[in-house]
Amino acid sequence: MERVHVERSTIKYYLNRVHCLSSITDIEEKHNFILNTFLAFQKDGWSLALHPQVCRCLEELITDANVECIALLLKILSKGWGRLINSKFAYHLLHKALSKCQTAEYNADELIVDHLQSFCTHMKENLSVYITNSHATHTCRIYPQILAGVRLEKDKKTNTYKSAVQLVTPYDENYIQSLDELCKEFLFTKALKNHVVNEHLCPFIQVLLLVASARLPDVFTKKFKKVMKYSGLFSLNLQEDDLITRYLGSYAHPVATYFAELLVEVMPGANFAKFLNTHILSECSLSLDSNDSNPVTVADILMSNQTASRVLRAVIRRLVKPVDIKNFFTVIQSCKCNKFGIRSIIPNKQHGILTDLADLCIRHPSEEFQRTFLRMLPSIFGFTEKHSSSKSREDLFIRCLVGMITLSELNEHITNQSVQEKDNNDDNQYFDNKEDLVNPVTVPGCLFVEVYLNSLMLILLK
């Protein structure tokens, strides 16, 4: 994309417009101000949006723009769909304008409807080209949402798509047919295995998955087994000599794991029940000894891997039925291996699993499950039955929780602090060990303790 030359005075004009907007309090006056700015943009030409500073200024105006303003902006942008979509900066402006239109108020405007139908037609004709472009692929993710009237949200912490969607009015009258064609080309196809490991294409497939599950529920349920099969995420990789890698497979793929996580969240109930029992809770043969008395399941292996654990956490969030929850707790407690399972959570820093388990106990009002989880915690942090139930032990346990470290790591920390205190005393330096009583402290530890205490309170209040 060639660099767009813009006069300094023009850039300064748009910067000043954004600055002046912040001082306007009257809503109608603000709308007129934005409309006049967009009229100036129309006069200067749509290619001005290819300049990063001007593009950023126009983006800021969209927040307070009304229907008339957005209609004018889309009219301007429609003059150069291709270059805008392929650009490094301008597609941000286009996305913000399109997202603004996903409400009934904007859908009722004929001009906006015409422009967005033009956008959908353009995307349909050029999707095969855009899908491989690093900048244009972002607009490809917006396209199914506008087409079928499905508004998606991203998690603010992880920047991943949420499974919960909001249905709005579609801008394509034949959206069912158009969406079905997209699914046949990208989702219900054997090529899906390659799509989910492609860093540019996988986010688009995730969007298509969510949109299809919301707008084509019957077709989606019917085709779901094929989606699982074609994705290749849940079958053994028999070509791998390493047994652990063979079972982890695409669970641990840095790109495919996001699709797998989302797939778990939108699974139809019957498919999830089967997936839980035949995949997640199934035993793995990690040794040549068929009489191994320490069975390890796929769930145990997923706990030990930073990437693959995302799928397991999605499974935990999906657990609802008491029989499934009980079975899940029973299985993960049975693993006595330090390399896998619940004992590997802290050494491998998979703190989110603990928080999700605690949250599961809060969501399900069962004292049995809550007590089961509470009994699991000491062993997770390295406490054994030989540790007495003294006040000192309770203090150590609390420090392990907030620090998200094992007992052995905490003891090492305390020893190091004692040595440091002795050295400081020898040097006649003041050393206050009161602060050390609350160290180490981590954000994941504090978040977990917050959820953990809520779970504990449910038991105490019964």
Side-chain angles (χ1 to χ4, degrees), residues 398-461:
I398 294 172
R399 293 181 67 179
C400 284
L401 292 181
V402 296
M404 278 291 156
I405 58 176
T406 61
L407 178 61
S408 60
E409 291 174 319
L410 178 60
N411 287 333
E412 183 180 353
H413 173 80
I414 293 173
T415 301
N416 292 336
Q417 289 298 322
S418 298
V419 172
Q420 182 181 350
E421 181 181 2
K422 183 178 182 301
D423 292 341
N424 288 333
N425 288 335
D426 291 342
D427 295 336
N428 295 322
Q429 295 181 7
Y430 174 74
F431 183 83
D432 185 4
N433 66 347
K434 291 182 180 180
E435 183 179 346
D436 184 54
L437 294 177
V438 294
N439 283 324
V441 176
T442 62
V443 173
C446 293
L447 292 175
F448 168 69
V449 169
E450 180 182 7
V451 180
Y452 168 72
L453 289 176
N454 288 333
S455 178
L456 190 62
M457 287 300 296
L458 290 176
I459 295 178
L460 296 176
L461 292 175

Side-chain angles (χ1 to χ4, degrees), residues 329-340:
F329 274 128
T330 300
V331 170
I332 64 174
Q333 284 186 97
S334 64
C335 181
K336 306 302 180 184
C337 178
N338 292 326
K339 187 177 180 181
F340 307 109

Side-chain angles (χ1 to χ4, degrees), residues 125-242:
E125 294 173 350
N126 298 275
L127 186 62
S128 59
V129 177
Y130 290 151
I131 206 73
T132 58
N133 183 290
S134 58
H135 298 310
T137 187
H138 295 281
T139 306
C140 293
R141 304 168 199 173
I142 299 290
Y143 168 51
Q145 301 178 53
I146 298 296
L147 170 80
V150 179
R151 189 183 185 95
L152 305 183
E153 291 186 11
K154 281 191 171 184
D155 188 284
K156 293 181 179 179
K157 294 181 180 178
T158 62
N159 197 36
T160 56
Y161 289 107
K162 295 181 179 180
S163 58
V165 302
Q166 179 185 353
L167 297 181
V168 294
T169 305
Y171 279 97
D172 186 338
E173 295 179 352
N174 300 317
Y175 75 90
I176 293 180
Q177 180 182 346
S178 300
L179 184 58
D180 186 59
E181 291 174 359
L182 281 177
C183 289
K184 287 179 180 178
E185 183 177 358
F186 294 101
L187 196 61
F188 307 146
T189 171
K190 293 181 180 179
L192 181 62
K193 185 175 183 179
N194 297 324
H195 296 341
V196 297
V197 296
N198 185 306
E199 62 179 344
H200 295 303
L201 196 52
C202 185
F204 169 74
I205 300 299
Q206 293 176 48
V207 170
L208 195 57
L209 179 74
L210 291 172
V211 174
S213 65
R215 283 300 190 186
L216 304 174
D218 295 336
V219 176
F220 182 77
T221 301
K222 184 179 179 180
K223 299 279 189 179
F224 189 81
K225 287 184 179 180
K226 285 189 176 181
V227 174
M228 290 190 68
K229 178 182 178 181
Y230 292 156
S231 69
L233 298 175
F234 309 110
S235 55
L236 292 179
N237 187 356
L238 299 177
Q239 296 179 349
E240 287 288 347
D241 294 329
D242 183 72

Side-chain angles (χ1 to χ4, degrees), residues 62 78 100 106 124 159 205 213 264 275 296 299 304 315 458:
I62 290 179
S78 66
K100 188 91 171 179
Y106 290 84
K124 183 177 182 179
N159 197 36
I205 300 299
S213 65
V264 170
F275 172 74
V296 175
S304 65
V315 170
L458 290 176

Side-chain angles (χ1 to χ4, degrees), residues 293-325:
S293 59
N294 186 25
V296 175
T297 65
V298 173
D300 298 321
I301 297 178
L302 296 181
M303 284 186 194
S304 65
N305 186 278
Q306 182 177 2
T307 304
S309 63
R310 298 186 64 91
V311 180
L312 182 65
R313 294 182 63 186
V315 170
I316 295 173
R317 292 192 295 268
R318 276 295 306 269
L319 292 173
V320 176
K321 294 182 178 180
V323 62
D324 290 336
I325 298 175

